[in-house]
Amino acid sequence: MEFTFLALLLMVPLVYFIITMSQIQGGSFAVVGAADQAAKVYIAQPDAATAQAAAERAVAIALADFGHQPEQARVATSCSSADCQAAGSTITVTVSLTVPLPFLPFDGDFRLSASEVEASSTQLVGRFR
């Protein structure tokens, strides 16, 4: 009886810790893929407005593949020159994601997070598109 009680007392936090670390690792994979895809999509577009919208859609799709909501992420783009679509300029897309603690019933402003993960990807705009 005592062994069962102690095993449960120790196993529940351990399992929750493993699930939380898995969520953080999944978030890390999600932001790396999202940043990479967003940068590739950005340089393929004809103008900056279309490129920004396409990059944000690519981030939303990549995050959804890993089970994360696009509202939990922030996307920042920067370029090395004034014209982001000019040949030879570099585009850097940075995606930040707040990974929530699993199985908590809180929503809205009281959402507790396990971690914040971030990844960047840089692509060179080619001469021929």
Side-chain angles (χ1 to χ4, degrees):
M1 177 70 180
E2 294 86 14
F3 176 75
T4 304
F5 176 73
L6 286 175
L8 280 175
L9 189 64
L10 294 174
M11 289 300 287
V12 169
L14 180 64
V15 168
Y16 190 78
F17 176 75
I18 291 170
I19 292 171
T20 302
M21 289 295 112
S22 299
Q23 289 283 94
I24 293 171
Q25 186 66 37
S28 297
F29 288 146
V31 294
V32 167
D36 186 47
Q37 291 302 314
K40 288 177 181 176
V41 166
Y42 193 99
I43 64 169
Q45 302 305 314
D47 58 41
T50 307
Q52 184 67 30
E56 289 175 3
R57 279 194 312 271
V59 168
I61 291 169
L63 292 178
D65 286 345
F66 284 90
H68 294 283
Q69 301 297 321
E71 300 85 40
Q72 298 169 332
R74 288 180 309 283
V75 180
T77 57
S78 62
C79 55
S80 62
S81 64
D83 182 14
C84 293
Q85 302 304 104
S89 65
T90 58
I91 306 297
T92 301
V93 177
T94 303
V95 179
S96 301
L97 175 69
T98 302
V99 180
L101 284 171
F103 307 123
L104 290 183
F106 307 120
D107 252 348
D109 294 334
F110 193 64
R111 188 82 174 152
L112 298 174
S113 64
S115 180
E116 173 111 7
V117 291
E118 180 178 293
S120 296
S121 179
T122 302
Q123 292 286 322
L124 180 65
V125 178
R127 189 175 357 165
F128 305 106
R129 287 195 268 172

